[in-house]
Amino acid sequence: MSQHSSALIEIANLNFSQIQSLFLSALEFSKNPGRKNYAAQTAALLFFEPSTRTRFSFETAAARLGLHPLLLDGGAGTSLEKGESIEDTVLNIAAMESAALIIRCKDDVDLYALQKQIKMPILNAGWGRKAHPSQALLDALTLKANGRDFEKEKLLVIGDVKHSRVIGSHFQLAKILGYQIAVCGPQSFLPENYSGLSFEKLEDGLKWATSVMALRVQHERHEEVHSVATYREQYGLNLQKLKSWKSDGLLMHPGPINYGVELDVDVNQDPRCKILEQVKWGAYIRQALLERALSERTVS
Ligand code: CP
């Protein structure tokens, strides 16, 4: 499949050494965010779906690089309202020669087909249920920045795995970096034909896990109605349950969080809770991804 070498549509587009290089670059940026400056160039952020963290994070990353971010935030005020397709919108904005196109969209947009038609890299900022590679990278960078050893890490992903684009990217990244993944939640939250390690009981999963990631319960996507109270009792994390978790690993959540469902707000008092630190690393890994795109453009 032809693809721009600094595009990131899925984690599978990267190899081990490219990921290590991105981590190094992000860590360097955390020490000196302004060490590279690409003034007079632009990065187009095409958010056809809502976002807080990913959008502001890419905007922060672009601003730190001196790039001017061009934002499309939903269809309002654009020719999408007149029936122009998302594909045609992307091709027209690409014709203005931004350094990179950062795209959040639904599953039905074919990012690989679009990438074949444009010369700048596409950076996937959340693609339907398919993939969210920069989220998986920022989670892994948070583990690395906290001194975790991927080869020994056992990451328990709790909750709505079936509707998560983050978990798919983690399955790909775990294969490259060497950490293990297990899932935990009600049977109806697991993907059909899932054959990996799973725990039905939270206490069993926590005994296995060295780090934990809770996922947002996407009530809006479930056909059957789930009781929030039952979910919270069986799988929701709170300070009390965390007290019985003996690991020195991290508690993460990609956001947005349903407080009172998958997490109680008191988990933020646990020093292992790194949710806002994930957000911090998100901006640096996205700066590294953009810098990779820019440095390639400079030499070509
Ligand atoms: N984690 C994440 O993608 O959050 P947003 O939807 O707010 O970007």
Side-chain angles (χ1 to χ4, degrees):
M1 182 172 293
S2 94
Q3 195 192 302
H4 195 290
S5 60
S6 57
L8 179 62
I9 295 176
E10 295 180 274
I11 289 290
N13 305 147
L14 297 170
N15 60 33
F16 182 81
S17 68
Q18 289 168 325
I19 292 168
Q20 295 302 333
S21 162
L22 284 166
F23 285 167
L24 272 182
S25 176
L27 291 166
E28 288 291 314
F29 278 126
S30 74
K31 290 176 205 143
N32 181 7
R35 73 183 169 85
K36 290 278 171 82
N37 194 305
Y38 295 96
Q41 297 195 56
T42 60
L45 286 85
L46 309 181
F47 278 69
F48 300 103
E49 295 293 307
S51 166
T52 299
R53 277 148 291 272
T54 313
R55 197 197 104 188
F56 277 86
S57 180
F58 269 114
E59 281 189 282
T60 301
R64 283 179 178 154
L65 288 167
L67 281 167
H68 188 83
L70 305 175
L71 178 64
L72 183 152
D73 186 11
T78 75
S79 291
L80 287 161
E81 290 189 326
K82 297 182 232 169
E84 187 167 32
S85 69
I86 285 181
E87 286 77 3
D88 210 14
T89 303
V90 171
L91 294 179
N92 275 271
I93 291 171
M96 296 174 212
E97 303 199 323
S98 282
L101 298 189
I102 298 147
I103 301 180
R104 171 167 288 198
C105 59
K106 291 192 168 137
D107 290 297
D108 57 356
V109 177
D110 187 341
L111 290 181
Y112 281 109
L114 278 171
Q115 182 63 81
K116 282 187 191 161
Q117 299 175 69
I118 62 177
K119 60 185 180 183
M120 68 285 295
I122 289 175
L123 302 179
N124 171 358
W127 184 17
R129 288 192 207 176
K130 287 185 205 272
H132 197 353
S134 65
Q135 177 69 47
L137 287 171
L138 78 86
D139 298 337
L141 179 58
T142 307
L143 289 167
K144 182 180 172 72
N146 280 277
R148 308 298 299 174
D149 179 349
F150 292 124
E151 295 289 333
K152 295 182 186 155
E153 200 69 71
K154 294 194 274 186
L155 180 65
L156 182 71
V157 181
I158 303 169
D160 202 350
V161 175
K162 190 175 190 170
H163 298 108
S164 171
R165 54 186 166 216
V166 177
I167 186 84
S169 293
H170 268 291
F171 283 130
Q172 293 186 359
L173 190 57
K175 272 191 201 145
I176 300 171
L177 294 180
Y179 56 97
Q180 296 176 57
I181 296 182
V183 302
C184 178
Q187 196 61 35
S188 61
F189 279 26
L190 302 188
E192 279 136 41
N193 307 320
Y194 176 74
S195 58
L197 186 57
S198 67
F199 296 96
E200 197 156 347
K201 286 196 174 153
L202 180 62
E203 58 185 303
D204 294 338
L206 289 176
K207 273 186 206 142
W208 173 87
T210 56
S211 283
V212 164
M213 184 161 64
L215 296 175
R216 183 172 79 90
V217 178
Q218 301 188 38
H219 297 288
E220 68 278 12
R221 297 187 197 266
H222 285 280
E223 280 163 20
E224 54 182 296
V225 177
H226 288 272
S227 153
V228 169
T230 306
Y231 183 85
R232 183 182 182 200
E233 187 191 321
Q234 293 180 340
Y235 298 105
L237 290 173
N238 56 31
L239 206 50
Q240 190 59 36
K241 287 185 196 170
L242 286 179
K243 278 193 182 140
S244 67
W245 181 45
K246 296 302 174 203
S247 173
D248 59 357
L250 313 188
L251 166 62
M252 300 187 286
H253 190 304
I257 300 168
N258 293 314
Y259 280 115
V261 184
E262 65 264 10
L263 296 181
D264 278 7
V265 77
D266 64 4
V267 298
N268 289 295
Q269 294 168 34
D270 190 303
R272 296 168 295 182
C273 179
K274 302 292 178 189
I275 294 168
L276 291 180
E277 196 179 314
Q278 287 172 267
V279 178
K280 175 187 91 169
W281 288 116
Y284 289 121
I285 198 71
R286 286 161 180 145
Q287 194 172 356
L289 288 166
L290 276 172
E291 201 268 329
R292 179 171 175 255
L294 267 289
S295 55
E296 188 161 299
R297 179 184 162 104
T298 306
V299 296
S300 64

